[in-house]
Amino acid sequence: VHLVESGGGSVQSGGSLRLSCVASGYTWMRYCMGWFRQAPGKEREGVATIDSDGRISHADSVKGRFTISRVSAKNTLYLQMNSLKPEDTAMYYCAFGKTYYSGTYYCPAEYNYWGQGTQVTVSS
């Protein structure tokens, strides 16, 4: 699976950006895709995920400001980021993983495939 992110950049606080991630090389019918971020000196954290059934989850820190979406026909994942804050500054990564079944399908705790990352910098 190959993932290529784009759309990062530098914006002022309160601004917006839209990240894109084009995925290729996968054949599974059930999967999860997500956005993660890592700021210097901090651990990587999950931002938002979406599975192949369209179920969505956002981290509390971005709820109401960020929206994850997917266009299956384009194999593209998006992250619309509004009302950006300086604390959103980080390298953002797209990730892909297979779901696992335990009564229902869940996104994995660890993702198998990662993009190269795109930098988002928010100035105050």
Side-chain angles (χ1 to χ4, degrees), residues 65-84:
R65 300 188 300 121
F66 292 10
T67 303
I68 190 171
S69 62
R70 171 174 56 90
V71 177
S72 298
K74 295 183 178 180
N75 293 333
T76 303
L77 180 73
Y78 300 99
L79 184 69
Q80 178 66 44
M81 305 186 294
N82 298 327
S83 302
L84 281 159

Side-chain angles (χ1 to χ4, degrees), residues 3 31-36 44 46-52 55 57 68 77 93-100 106-115:
L3 304 171
Y31 57 86
C32 289
M33 294 187 73
W35 290 99
F36 295 78
R44 186 176 62 200
V47 176
T49 60
I50 184 170
D51 70 10
S52 45
R55 291 179 296 184
S57 175
I68 190 171
L77 180 73
Y93 297 91
C94 172
F96 182 101
K98 291 176 65 176
T99 56
Y100 69 93
Y106 293 94
C107 285
E110 297 292 333
Y111 284 71
N112 306 94
Y113 304 95
W114 295 84

Side-chain angles (χ1 to χ4, degrees), residues 25-46:
Y26 66 93
T27 57
W28 304 291
M29 294 297 291
R30 292 190 175 275
Y31 57 86
C32 289
M33 294 187 73
W35 290 99
F36 295 78
R37 66 187 181 185
Q38 187 167 21
K42 294 187 177 181
E43 292 188 355
R44 186 176 62 200
E45 63 172 342

